[in-house]
Amino acid sequence: MRQKTFKAPPNPFPKQYCQYAVGACLEPLVATGSICYNDTEAEILVGDLVTAWFREDAFSAGGQTRVKILVGMTDDAITLVALNPIEQVTIPRSALHAVHRIFAIKLSEGRLWDLRTVASRDHFVRSQLAGRSIDGERMILP
């Protein structure tokens, strides 16, 4: 197994940047090969998809960045959720270099989703999850 090495994040970060999603933790919402567009200056709200950048001393073999759903935040920590398997983790802010809001996603089949409004984010989530399964459970959305 190849061990991952830490790479210093951009300093400073550009206002916007993109990265490929790798892994199945947010499938079927965000599949491997999707492109996540991040905004370093956008306000981050509970329910947003975010990219969390870990500090070198908190970095693990799972990678120095993680794309997850933000479900909680305080001055001291943020709480993120993965879908496969369904898992919630609270991370001290001291372990993070940065957290950025994902404002758009280009799916591997080519469709581009704008996530800048709650309505557009809700439409994206409903269209991606309707009738699909997460962690073995079928999603039935109204």
Side-chain angles (χ1 to χ4, degrees), residues 16 39 101-104 113-121:
Q16 296 179 338
D39 188 326
R101 182 177 179 188
I102 296 172
F103 72 89
W113 286 90
D114 182 338
L115 307 177
R116 287 178 278 198
T117 67
V118 172
S120 62
R121 186 182 66 208

Side-chain angles (χ1 to χ4, degrees), residues 4-17:
K4 295 186 179 189
T5 56
F6 185 84
K7 294 179 186 169
N11 185 18
F13 279 95
K15 180 178 176 341
Q16 296 179 338
Y17 65 93

